[in-house]
Amino acid sequence: MATVYVSFGSNLGDRASHIRNAIDLTSEFISWQFITPMVETAPYGKVDQPTFLNAVGKGDTGLTPEELLRALLDVEKKLGRTREIRWGPRIIDLDILTYDNLVLHSEVLTVPHPDLHNRDFLLKLLCQFFPEWSHPVLKKNACELLDDLTTRMPTSFKNENLRRVLGALGNPHEKVKTIYVTGSSGKGSVAAMVAALFNNNVGLFLSPFVCTSAEMVMIDGKQADLSSFKQQVLSVAKDLNVELTPFEVLTGAAYLAFEKAKKEWAVVETGIESQHDATNVKKHDISVVTALGMDHFDLFPDYDFYLRELLNSLSGPVISLEPLPGVDADVVVQAKYGIEDSQITLDGTQAYVTGMGTVRTRMLGLHQIWNALLAGEAYRAATGKEPEFSLLSDVVLPARIQVVRKDPLLIVDGGHNAPAFKSLVETINDLGVNPMRIILGLVKGKDHEVALSYLKRLGGQIFYYPPFSDRALTELPGIPTLPNLYEALEEPTPTLVAGSFYLAGPVLRYFNACHLG
């Protein structure tokens, strides 16, 4: 017998009756353990249609996955279901969410349900009524997936409402000095390195996360519990009758946590490179700009607009990796330093910096040495002290050209724009590990032509697999799509997974490679 989770939905006619009839009919081949109460939900995918009633059931069946699919389709047909418009109105909708811990991708069936992690109405039911449930691929329970869905990235260009809420909370964001890290690539690495140079005696805000949303906010080098601070933010927002996005709630809670911990400094990585991002509810004390290149094609019409938004977000002394148009940066790192005698291995990177000596990092690629120097200048500007680069020797973040397995070699990277792909290709070439099979995944707003132009230089065969996101590109013209990601990763073939944190995170969780201490 297999344990299955099945969803029930209806938005036509007597919705509750349709679901009850479906439960009765499916009881002939599923022994139900528990079925949740029905809940009213907004339509998903196609919004111009009536609201739904939904429920989720847990039961046992002796049917194979394909037999179960056919049986559910037969029930839908008996109840009058017709399929005319994708995501359109329906008398009854029955979906297999999970079947034991099976991961299956065939021409007729994908298990677990390929869009389950994006459907908050199902995750809420699973979180509330089935705490034992876990996603077979993403290796998370429903509550964790629900949190991930609502906090990973900003969803709008605004921060006026958050300013009002924080003002009512006593302006905690103004009571901590901030080092603001922006740019197109390398922001997370630089932010983590700055925090390490403070011996982690700071608040740290990273965006987005790779494996779990708990990565995003750290205090004194430890993950911060934001539950009470989120409740404070939400309560005040309700009192003021203003709406906040989940990312704004997270950002506001982080500033509250930093103030509560009495941190003098916090290092804040931007969500989106814009003055209207939630992280920019204050003027920062120092701004750091990493490598630049066009990003977020779905939000910015062109590079000039993108760059203008980024530069308008800067405040305080500016420390940049490279010269900035129209901005007189206080320090331009690539103009100040020279690097020679670099060594890159699967265990890390080291290089001799002119006038400074050898700098080492566990992260791979010469670009990480430049990131270290950028972090050092930020620390020097904040404290007036010389940075101790030895503190960076153990700094490591997931999915930054991460070696997950050495034999056969598996490298996972989440970079998704031109400077990131450039650094990735240079590092793979420096390692001398070509050719590698490449598994690429991209979300909307990323330039697939740029990605392919760089990755083709590695000479390996390129396959596509859609990232685990509702914004995923489902396919790339001319690039074969893998039928099963995890079967491919178990093959004895040197492999590079690249293009998206939404693809990198699940792969790292599958191999239990999220914790890098």
Side-chain angles (χ1 to χ4, degrees), residues 302-343:
D302 53 48
Y303 182 67
D304 288 341
F305 188 95
Y306 168 79
L307 185 61
R308 186 164 59 251
E309 282 289 313
L310 186 153
L311 296 179
N312 286 340
S313 72
L314 306 180
S315 54
V318 175
I319 298 160
S320 66
L321 178 67
E322 56 197 73
L324 301 174
V327 174
D328 186 15
D330 292 74
V331 179
V332 178
V333 168
Q334 288 185 341
K336 180 174 180 178
Y337 294 104
I339 293 178
E340 54 190 58
D341 295 332
S342 61
Q343 292 182 326

Side-chain angles (χ1 to χ4, degrees), residues 7-9 22 25-26 29 69-83 90-96:
S7 65
F8 301 82
L25 289 171
T26 55
F29 50 88
L69 174 63
R70 288 193 293 270
L72 292 175
L73 291 174
D74 186 54
V75 169
E76 289 183 341
K77 186 176 180 179
K78 288 178 179 177
L79 293 176
R81 166 80 184 266
T82 59
R83 297 175 183 271
R90 65 214 80 167
I91 288 175
I92 192 67
D93 186 30
L94 305 174
D95 284 322
I96 303 172

Side-chain angles (χ1 to χ4, degrees), residues 9-13 43-44 46-52 80-93:
S10 175
N11 73 334
L12 291 178
Y44 179 87
K46 182 176 171 57
V47 298
D48 55 338
Q49 59 178 311
T51 58
F52 277 79
R81 166 80 184 266
T82 59
R83 297 175 183 271
E84 300 172 358
I85 303 173
R86 188 189 184 206
W87 287 339
R90 65 214 80 167
I91 288 175
I92 192 67
D93 186 30

Side-chain angles (χ1 to χ4, degrees), residues 432-465:
V433 294
N434 283 332
M436 298 181 74
R437 174 182 59 183
I438 300 165
I439 301 175
L440 173 65
L442 295 169
V443 298
K444 297 171 184 176
K446 308 305 175 184
D447 192 331
H448 70 274
E449 293 181 354
V450 166
L452 291 173
S453 70
Y454 278 105
L455 294 176
K456 285 179 179 179
R457 301 176 193 179
L458 294 176
Q461 187 172 7
I462 300 176
F463 295 89
Y464 188 74
Y465 196 88

